[in-house]
C-alpha cells in the first residue's frame, strides 16, 4: 500500500495541517511520557510552517525575532529541540537539503521516502511497505544491520514541471 501526503503539492488550508500535526505531536509526547515544552512546540510549528524543509539557522533566526518576552531563544536550545523532535520521529532531517520537514507518517520507522522538488523545495513524505521490504530482505541477505534509512528523490513537483 502506498500512502503519501498528497496535500503538499496541492492548494490547501495549511493551517489545518499544522493543527493536525500538533495534535499528533501532543499525543506522541503524552504516550512517551515526555514534555512538549514551549520551545519544542515553537520549533515544531516553525518546521511545520510550510511543506518546504526549513534549515536550523532559519529556525534560530525566526524564533529570535518572534519572541517578545525579552528572552531570546538561543541556538543550542533550538538544536536540542530539533534533536528531541527528530528522535520522536515527529520531524525528519532531509539530508540532501540539510533541512527539516514535519512528518506525516511518524508512526512508521523506516519505510518512508521523500519526493523533493529541486525548484520550490516542496517535499512530500510517502510511505510504502514495498520499498521497506526490499531493503529489509537485502540487508538480511547480506547480514547488514539497518540503523537509518534515507530515501530522497529529487525532481520537479507538478507545478514546477508545468513551468519547465
Ligand atoms: Zn499543508
Ligand atoms: Zn516545485
Amino acid at each position: 500500500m502506498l500512502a503519501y501526503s498528497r496535500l503538499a503539492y496541492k492548494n490547501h488550508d495549511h493551517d489545518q495541517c499544522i493543527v493536525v500535526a500538533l495534535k499528533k505531536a501532543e499525543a506522541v509526547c503524552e504516550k512517551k511520557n515526555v514534555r512538549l515544552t514551549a520551545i519544542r512546540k515553537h520549533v515544531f510549528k516553525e518546521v511545520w510552517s510550510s511543506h518546504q524543509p526549513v534549515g536550523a539557522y532559519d529556525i534560530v533566526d525566526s524564533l529570535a525575532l518572534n519572541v517578545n518576552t525579552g528572552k531570546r531563544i538561543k541556538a543550542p536550545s533550538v538544536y536540542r529541540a530539533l534533536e528531541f523532535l527528530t528522535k520522536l520521529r515527529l520531524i525528519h532531517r532531509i539530508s540532501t537539503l540539510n533541512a527539516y520537514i514535519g512528518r506525516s507518517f511518524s508512526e512508521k520507522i523506516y519505510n518512508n521516502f521523500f519526493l523533493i522538488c529541486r525548484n520550490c523545495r516542496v517535499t512530500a513524505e510517502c510511505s510504502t511497505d514495498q520499498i521497506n521490504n526490499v531493503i529489509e530482505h537485502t540487508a538480511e541477505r547480506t547480514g547488514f544491520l539497518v540503523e537509518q534509512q534515507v530515501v530522497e528523490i529529487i525532481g520537479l513537483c507538478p507545478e514546477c514541471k508545468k513551468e519547465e
Side-chain angles (χ1 to χ4, degrees):
M1 251 298 275
L2 175 70
Y4 64 105
S5 45
R6 58 188 90 202
L7 278 185
Y9 296 127
K10 284 206 173 128
N11 263 334
H12 68 283
D13 177 9
H14 186 64
D15 285 346
Q16 204 49 41
C17 293
I18 299 174
V19 169
V20 171
L22 204 55
K23 258 193 202 145
K24 265 197 198 173
E26 276 162 355
V28 167
C29 286
E30 208 183 294
K31 206 171 147 196
K32 300 244 158 120
N33 212 5
V34 288
R35 263 166 30 90
L36 193 63
T37 59
I39 290 176
R40 288 167 177 171
K41 206 173 191 168
H42 266 304
V43 171
F44 183 73
K45 277 187 172 166
E46 213 47 56
V47 171
W48 261 103
S49 61
S50 77
H51 289 278
Q52 284 151 309
V54 196
Y57 279 122
D58 296 328
I59 297 172
V60 171
D61 279 355
S62 69
L63 290 183
L65 289 174
N66 281 345
V67 173
N68 302 316
T69 56
K71 267 194 204 164
R72 273 173 70 99
I73 296 178
K74 299 234 169 69
S77 308
V78 171
Y79 290 123
R80 274 198 300 273
L82 285 170
E83 206 181 289
F84 170 87
L85 295 167
T86 305
K87 246 189 202 155
L88 286 182
R89 302 199 294 272
L90 294 172
I91 62 171
H92 174 84
R93 187 176 154 270
I94 300 287
S95 311
T96 312
L97 302 173
N98 190 18
Y100 294 85
I101 183 109
R103 292 193 62 174
S104 307
F105 305 103
S106 51
E107 62 279 8
K108 303 245 178 175
I109 303 177
Y110 294 132
N111 49 342
N112 293 350
F113 60 100
F114 296 84
L115 304 179
I116 304 160
C117 178
R118 65 170 159 81
N119 189 44
C120 69
R121 288 168 50 114
V122 167
T123 298
E125 182 180 9
C126 309
S127 178
T128 166
D129 289 339
Q130 276 151 300
I131 289 181
N132 194 38
N133 290 344
V134 170
I135 292 171
E136 242 173 44
H137 289 153
T138 310
E140 232 173 71
R141 273 207 308 275
T142 49
F144 186 86
L145 171 70
V146 176
E147 290 183 330
Q148 203 190 354
Q149 181 176 309
V150 179
V151 186
E152 298 175 355
I153 294 128
I154 316 291
L156 287 169
C157 76
E159 274 312 304
C160 296
K161 198 172 76 184
K162 265 188 240 160
E163 283 163 30
E164 286 254 318

